[in-house]
Amino acid sequence: MTEQHEQPAHTFERGTDGPKVIVVGVDGSDSSLRAAAYAGGLARRQHALLAVVYVQPVLAAGAALGAPVADTTDEIAEDLITQIREAAERVKGIFEVRWEFHTFRGDPYGGLVKAADELKADAVVVGASEQAGHRIIGSVAVRLVKAGRWPVTVVP
């Protein structure tokens, strides 16, 4: 006896299989830079746009004490852009990856959610947390996974 199953009518879908926009969060940590390298390879293989996102923290306490918080986070952003440009230049002609750099202000989780929404991300890549306290209160990666809005890859 043979069973037959009806297939639902297939609807036309534009584009290709796989992500078109991959968001990767970077903060200068080793794990975030490994995440950027992984996301860059994924973007290259999928012919996707790599959106590199740095979330500049808003440190109200530091600002209240007169610390130049905005200047410091701007310097970090500039340093990250320089590192990414240098890496892109080293592989130019070998690997071609379309990429953009974006900065958002806020907490890392909220900033990455905003970035993924605004950039219409198909996937989000982040590095594993290197902070011991995140095992207790939860890391940005865990919160992104729990949000369940995009496929999330966590790179160790």
Side-chain angles (χ1 to χ4, degrees), residues 52-142:
V52 181
V53 174
Y54 170 60
V55 180
Q56 294 179 300
V58 177
L59 304 173
L65 296 173
V69 175
D71 291 343
T72 302
T73 58
D74 287 344
E75 288 174 17
I76 293 169
E78 289 299 321
D79 183 50
L80 288 169
I81 291 172
T82 300
Q83 288 181 46
I84 295 163
R85 282 193 180 126
E86 288 172 356
E89 195 59 36
R90 281 194 302 271
V91 298
K92 193 172 190 169
I94 302 169
F95 299 117
E96 297 298 325
V97 176
R98 292 181 307 124
W99 63 276
E100 301 173 348
F101 185 84
H102 301 270
T103 59
F104 290 82
R105 290 195 183 273
D107 69 284
Y109 170 76
L112 285 173
V113 167
K114 183 177 180 181
D117 283 344
E118 287 185 13
L119 299 170
K120 296 181 177 28
D122 296 304
V124 177
V125 179
V126 291
S129 176
E130 296 178 351
Q131 298 179 4
H134 285 169
R135 292 189 180 126
I136 299 167
I137 60 171
S139 67
V140 171
V142 169

